[in-house]
Amino acid sequence: MKKIFKPLKFSSIFLLAMALFIACDKDFNTIDSDVLGKDNANFNTNNLNLQILAYNKKLDSLQINNLPNHLFGAFNDPAYGLTTASIVTQVTPAVFNPDFGENPVIDSVVLKVPYYSKEDGLIEGTTNAKYSIKDSLYGNGKVKLTIYRNNYFLRDFNPNSEFGQTQMYYSNANSSSNSAIDGNSIINFEDHKSDVILTLNEFAPSNNTIILKTTEGDQDVIDRQAPALRAKLDTNYWKTLILDLEDDAVLSNANNFKDYFRGLYFKAEAINGNGSMTFFNLATANIVIYFSKDSSVDGEKLQDSYTLNLTGNRLNTFVNNFNTALINGNKTNGDEKLYLKGTNGSMAVVDLFGGDMVECTDENGSVTMRTPLDCFKKTYRQLDENGDYLPQVNGNYPLKKLINEAHLLIYEDEIMQTYPKDENGNDYSAFDRIYAYDIKNNAPTTDFAFFDPTEDRTNPLNSKIISLGQRITDDNGISKYKIRLTEHLKNILLKDSTNTKIGLVLSTNVNIDYNPSTNILQTATILNSGDDVTALPATAVISPRGTILYGNHPNVPENRKMKLEIFFTKPNL
């Protein structure tokens, strides 16, 4: 996208500024024919609300391996209840067939698991950076952290597949323990834990800079590092586990080692029903064994180290103790409330032309009963004298009404405003984003992928704000979202696209699983889904918060119903 917009630098900035102005307009202004003057234009503009159907889908068994990030901790969502997230990960040596030298002696063993942090100014009175982790921290309590040696082997490939497909692991929504489903059986990681590697009875992520001091000659050397879980481990244990096996085959290659040492199980436990949750950056996490060995000079020792990276297969486990019942919704009449909850919770499906037959009035005033989709096409496409669609021209059906703008208007349940402020003093839902995706193709919408230049890779809250409108709260405390579907609907009209269902999930980072250069959305598959929703954006799995929205059921007040609004131009032919 950047290459496309570069040659149009001046006009792009102008258009972007206008788009931001429109996208941030709290009142979502409607343009009608009075703007141009009915007597001074050769076309008319108007808007239309079309029939849609919105219902809940409970997410029971979601893919939990190969996720873009990994949650750890316990988070008590005020709308839903307690979720506890633990991690199981393999470990891989950075070097195989190591030579530890003569008479190696371990000085220390250090585990380091970084958090996701960013620089937030300077430490007062210094030129040293300070860090913030508030954008990836949920809650402000402490949890018990225990790291076990895991004895369950995480497979790379599914032995039951014919073509060596990757092994998928799925969440076990009905379990009260840290478990997963491999497609055929349930794995309870409590049954496969062994040695305790580390225990922290009161763990809470800290944004403090890690300061390490070493001495080189007569000078102290200070090393400042970004916030992380950093702890010293038992040296005798790692001597027996690693250094004593210098010439053993288990240290010769990755496969042998992963079978010998099958990984770590990071277990989180809430304290008094509360805690906090954050992301562990396992991509840069490691265990470093620092040791000394004999040198060629008598009486001197050489310093060396051996690194074990927390790479390979990884998965999150979720234990949900919800106080809100999540169920599959009514696909015939829709639901009054829509429940969007990450960590194996719930999503919403919007059938843009769902529901019963409707009365469809043509331009001559004749009324016929049609499906909502057929009525939509008959309303916008050009027809011949027999009432049939004119043939396609260059692959597109000719239109008699041109869509200028189309969006879903979604209202948040007022109960979300009643919850206490978050740990940073903000409204609980202040930074929630609703991610809309094409269910048929498990892909981003066309509006998101190709017609929204507002991508911001460093600030997800302000990224893709034209296609995925930010949460806006008016002076009366009413919160709403606007999801742009202009190009999505155009494809249905012009090219007979059959993508009429949109999935809605909650996301705290709309950039996290989308690659703009390939237009590929990283998804998490659903085990035995039972309907046409087979996957969802992976960002929804690792979004701790939840929200509650209004659907479009008849019982919903008219001024809170979800609406599909279309603003169109009709030429005066």
Side-chain angles (χ1 to χ4, degrees):
M1 293 299 291
K2 291 181 180 178
K3 292 183 179 178
I4 294 173
F5 285 95
K6 187 175 182 181
L8 304 176
K9 184 176 181 181
F10 176 79
S11 59
S12 295
I13 293 174
F14 174 78
L15 291 173
L16 178 57
M18 291 298 294
L20 289 173
F21 177 81
I22 294 170
C24 295
D25 183 351
K26 289 186 177 182
D27 294 327
F28 302 141
N29 292 329
T30 299
I31 300 174
D32 59 30
S33 58
D34 290 337
V35 173
L36 297 174
K38 294 180 181 179
D39 300 326
N40 300 318
N42 62 353
F43 56 85
N44 294 317
T45 59
N46 212 328
N47 73 299
L48 178 70
N49 294 332
L50 292 183
Q51 177 169 312
I52 57 176
L53 185 70
Y55 56 89
N56 292 291
K57 178 175 176 61
K58 186 176 183 293
L59 300 171
D60 284 326
S61 299
L62 301 176
Q63 180 186 341
I64 53 174
N65 65 319
N66 299 324
L67 296 173
N69 279 324
H70 297 83
L71 286 166
F72 179 84
F75 177 60
N76 204 337
D77 186 305
Y80 290 90
L82 183 67
T83 293
T84 305
S86 299
I87 296 171
V88 180
T89 178
Q90 289 181 323
V91 175
T92 308
V95 176
F96 296 104
N97 294 313
D99 179 0
F100 297 127
E102 296 296 325
N103 300 316
V105 177
I106 293 181
D107 301 315
S108 64
V109 181
V110 178
L111 166 72
K112 182 180 177 182
V113 184
Y115 313 130
Y116 284 89
S117 61
K118 62 181 180 181
E119 292 188 10
D120 189 18
L122 299 176
I123 299 173
E124 186 175 356
T126 75
T127 59
N128 301 317
K130 66 178 180 179
Y131 296 89
S132 171
I133 62 172
K134 65 180 181 180
D135 292 341
S136 57
L137 179 63
Y138 307 89
N140 56 7
K142 298 179 180 180
V143 299
K144 180 179 179 181
L145 181 154
T146 310
I147 303 177
Y148 297 95
R149 179 174 178 175
N150 168 47
N151 284 334
Y152 183 84
F153 184 74
L154 296 175
R155 297 188 297 263
D156 291 321
F157 300 102
N158 186 348
N160 298 314
S161 66
E162 296 181 2
F163 303 103
Q165 295 175 342
T166 300
Q167 176 66 61
M168 297 294 186
Y169 294 95
Y170 301 90
S171 56
N172 186 19
N174 299 318
S175 175
S176 59
S177 64
N178 292 309
S179 57
I181 303 172
D182 65 4
N184 298 298
S185 57
I186 296 175
I187 308 146
N188 187 343
F189 291 103
E190 288 291 299
D191 296 337
H192 300 278
K193 66 185 183 184
S194 60
D195 308 326
V196 175
I197 306 296
L198 176 69
T199 299
L200 298 176
N201 289 318
E202 293 187 335
F203 165 75
S206 168
N207 62 357
N208 291 336
T209 303
I210 295 175
I211 301 176
L212 303 177
K213 184 172 72 172
T214 58
T215 301
E216 294 184 3
D218 297 330
Q219 293 184 337
D220 290 337
V221 178
I222 303 298
D223 179 20
R224 292 178 173 84
Q225 300 177 3
L229 163 61
R230 189 177 187 276
K232 291 188 174 182
L233 306 180
D234 184 277
T235 57
N236 291 327
Y237 180 83
W238 291 93
K239 177 182 182 298
T240 303
L241 189 76
I242 301 296
L243 262 65
D244 288 351
L245 300 181
E246 178 178 344
D247 296 320
D248 197 292
V250 299
L251 300 183
S252 64
N253 60 62
N255 289 335
N256 287 351
F257 184 84
K258 289 177 181 179
D259 189 42
Y260 161 62
F261 188 79
R262 298 186 172 185
L264 300 174
Y265 166 28
F266 288 73
K267 181 180 179 180
E269 296 176 83
I271 298 177
N272 297 323
N274 206 352
S276 61
M277 187 177 289
T278 192
F279 291 103
F280 277 173
N281 185 0
L282 297 181
T284 58
N286 57 37
I287 297 171
V288 181
I289 302 173
Y290 297 94
F291 62 95
S292 57
K293 58 187 178 181
D294 290 348
S295 75
S296 58
V297 179
D298 291 341
E300 290 189 5
K301 288 285 188 177
L302 295 176
Q303 303 299 314
D304 207 343
S305 63
Y306 189 69
T307 300
L308 303 168
N309 296 313
L310 273 58
T311 56
N313 281 336
R314 312 183 188 111
L315 58 84
N316 250 137
T317 64
F318 301 110
V319 176
N320 291 325
N321 186 14
F322 289 154
N323 52 35
T324 298
L326 300 178
I327 60 174
N328 286 315
N330 189 323
K331 296 182 181 180
T332 303
N333 299 316
D335 294 324
E336 294 182 44
K337 301 289 181 70
L338 302 176
Y339 298 92
L340 271 56
K341 179 68 175 77
T343 60
N344 204 91
S346 179
M347 64 174 287
V349 177
V350 180
D351 190 344
L352 297 176
F353 304 100
D356 298 329
M357 303 285 282
V358 296
E359 293 183 352
C360 192
T361 305
D362 63 20
E363 294 166 328
N364 299 320
S366 299
V367 178
T368 55
M369 297 301 294
R370 297 183 181 276
T371 66
L373 179 58
D374 189 35
C375 185
F376 171 63
K377 293 177 180 178
K378 292 285 186 182
T379 301
Y380 283 84
R381 287 181 183 171
Q382 290 188 28
L383 308 175
D384 62 18
E385 62 275 8
N386 298 318
D388 297 324
Y389 304 133
L390 292 181
Q392 290 177 296
V393 178
N394 297 324
N396 294 331
Y397 284 100
L399 302 181
K400 58 186 174 184
K401 294 181 180 181
L402 307 178
I403 294 180
N404 303 318
E405 166 77 7
H407 58 247
L408 278 175
L409 189 57
I410 309 170
Y411 290 89
E412 187 179 72
D413 189 341
E414 290 88 347
I415 194 173
M416 299 300 296
Q417 296 283 337
T418 67
Y419 295 124
K421 305 292 185 182
D422 70 12
E423 57 275 9
N424 299 311
N426 301 303
D427 284 348
Y428 171 70
S429 302
F431 305 112
D432 290 343
R433 301 290 301 277
I434 294 180
Y435 196 111
Y437 75 105
D438 172 1
I439 282 176
K440 179 180 175 61
N441 296 306
N442 291 323
T445 63
T446 302
D447 297 81
F448 178 100
F450 301 112
F451 292 88
D452 190 344
T454 62
E455 182 179 60
D456 187 336
R457 302 302 292 183
T458 62
N459 187 358
L461 179 64
N462 293 315
S463 186
K464 295 293 185 178
I465 61 175
I466 294 177
S467 57
L468 304 177
Q470 295 169 313
R471 176 181 180 269
I472 295 174
T473 303
D474 64 21
D475 294 337
N476 297 316
I478 305 303
S479 298
K480 50 192 173 184
Y481 300 83
K482 184 171 70 171
I483 307 298
R484 189 176 187 269
L485 296 174
T486 307
E487 303 303 324
H488 189 87
L489 290 186
K490 284 182 180 179
N491 281 341
I492 293 174
L493 281 178
L494 293 170
K495 303 182 183 301
D496 240 359
S497 166
T498 58
N499 306 339
T500 61
K501 290 184 179 181
I502 297 294
L504 300 181
V505 297
L506 201 68
S507 172
T508 55
N509 187 342
V510 299
N511 297 329
I512 201 168
D513 47 13
Y514 174 66
N515 186 334
S517 63
T518 61
N519 191 35
I520 293 177
L521 177 67
Q522 183 176 348
T523 60
T525 59
I526 303 173
L527 178 65
N528 301 326
S529 171
D531 58 26
D532 48 4
V533 184
T534 59
L536 68 159
T539 180
V541 182
I542 54 174
S543 291
R545 285 197 296 258
T547 192
I548 303 173
L549 309 172
Y550 282 108
N552 67 324
H553 189 275
N555 291 344
V556 177
E558 196 62 34
N559 64 348
R560 296 291 183 273
K561 280 186 179 179
M562 178 188 293
K563 297 179 178 67
L564 174 61
E565 294 189 327
I566 300 179
F567 301 86
F568 61 88
T569 297
K570 180 181 179 182
N572 289 327
L573 302 178

